Amino acid sequence: MGLEIVTKDIQEGARAEVSRIKTEADAKASEIINEAKDVQKKMLGDSLAKVEEDLQKLHQQVISSANLEVKRITLNKRKELLDKVYSQTAESIKSMPASKKEELLKHIINKYEASGARFYSSKASEETARKLSSLTYAGNVDCIGGVVIENDDGTIRFDFTYDSILKNVYERSLKQISDTLYG
């Protein structure tokens, strides 16, 4: 009987040890599971924060890109309109009555011919310009009207073509024209 009691004591001790180890293992497993859940929650929260931040940045980039595109399109349309105004003004000058063109040409020649020795004009204005000026006629230039006056050695040229005058006035008045058209 002594051996059975020893065996029984060993078995009970082993069972108690197994039970203790199992309880410790369950507690440790529960602790590990809880830590893993906490880490998972933190990682999920961090991931959500990162995704929200990335979405915010992407949203801002899309808005900025769209705003730039709208500005580009608006500026292109304004430029098209300003170019159209410029072209229409040039066409208005071309279609001026001959008497107005002659009056304008006479004013330019009277005011500036003392500064030169020869002059150039458009083919269409040649006859009128020759009639109005005492300077030597030097040939034609490609323009809608007006004259180019040059000194004897050709080192100084005064460009009084309507094209040049229109361009200068247009460039000086561009801001005012733009403000008038677009407010």
Side-chain angles (χ1 to χ4, degrees):
M1 235 180 122
L3 195 53
E4 284 180 15
I5 293 177
V6 172
T7 306
K8 195 174 176 186
D9 282 345
I10 291 173
Q11 284 179 342
E12 283 179 15
R15 278 191 204 118
E17 184 67 20
V18 166
S19 179
R20 185 186 62 75
I21 291 172
K22 187 175 185 233
T23 302
E24 283 180 13
D26 286 346
K28 189 69 172 169
S30 181
E31 185 182 321
I32 291 170
I33 289 171
N34 287 337
E35 284 179 14
K37 284 181 180 177
D38 288 344
V39 168
Q40 181 185 18
K41 284 180 186 177
K42 185 180 181 322
M43 288 174 58
L44 183 60
D46 291 348
S47 294
L48 285 174
K50 175 78 169 119
V51 167
E52 281 185 25
E53 184 182 322
D54 290 348
L55 280 174
Q56 190 69 18
K57 285 179 183 175
L58 182 62
H59 178 71
Q60 196 60 38
Q61 286 175 346
V62 168
I63 287 174
S64 294
S65 179
N67 285 338
L68 283 175
E69 184 65 16
V70 166
K71 283 181 182 179
R72 186 186 64 77
I73 290 169
T74 302
L75 288 173
N76 285 343
K77 289 297 179 187
R78 284 182 176 187
K79 183 175 180 339
E80 284 178 25
L81 184 58
L82 289 171
D83 289 347
K84 187 175 181 181
V85 168
Y86 184 88
S87 296
Q88 287 175 344
T89 304
E91 286 303 315
S92 294
I93 292 170
K94 284 180 189 176
S95 62
M96 264 192 319
S99 62
K100 280 282 191 195
K101 286 181 185 177
E102 184 174 338
E103 183 182 319
L104 185 55
L105 197 57
K106 182 178 181 181
H107 174 75
I108 292 169
I109 289 172
N110 286 343
K111 188 168 183 176
Y112 298 104
E113 79 175 338
S115 304
R118 59 181 163 266
F119 73 99
Y120 302 82
S121 73
S122 67
K123 181 72 175 157
S125 302
E126 180 179 348
E127 187 178 324
T128 305
R130 281 180 184 260
K131 179 175 76 172
L132 294 172
S133 180
S134 61
L135 299 178
T136 304
Y137 188 76
N140 298 125
V141 289
D142 185 24
C143 64
I144 56 177
V147 293
V148 174
I149 299 174
E150 190 175 69
N151 68 352
D152 257 339
D153 59 5
T155 57
I156 299 175
R157 292 184 101 185
F158 298 101
D159 187 349
F160 297 110
T161 60
Y162 302 157
D163 310 67
S164 178
I165 294 169
L166 174 61
K167 183 179 177 190
N168 287 335
V169 168
Y170 180 77
E171 287 173 357
R172 279 194 321 251
S173 307
L174 191 56
K175 181 172 177 9
Q176 182 183 357
I177 293 168
S178 184
D179 288 348
T180 301
L181 291 173
Y182 304 113

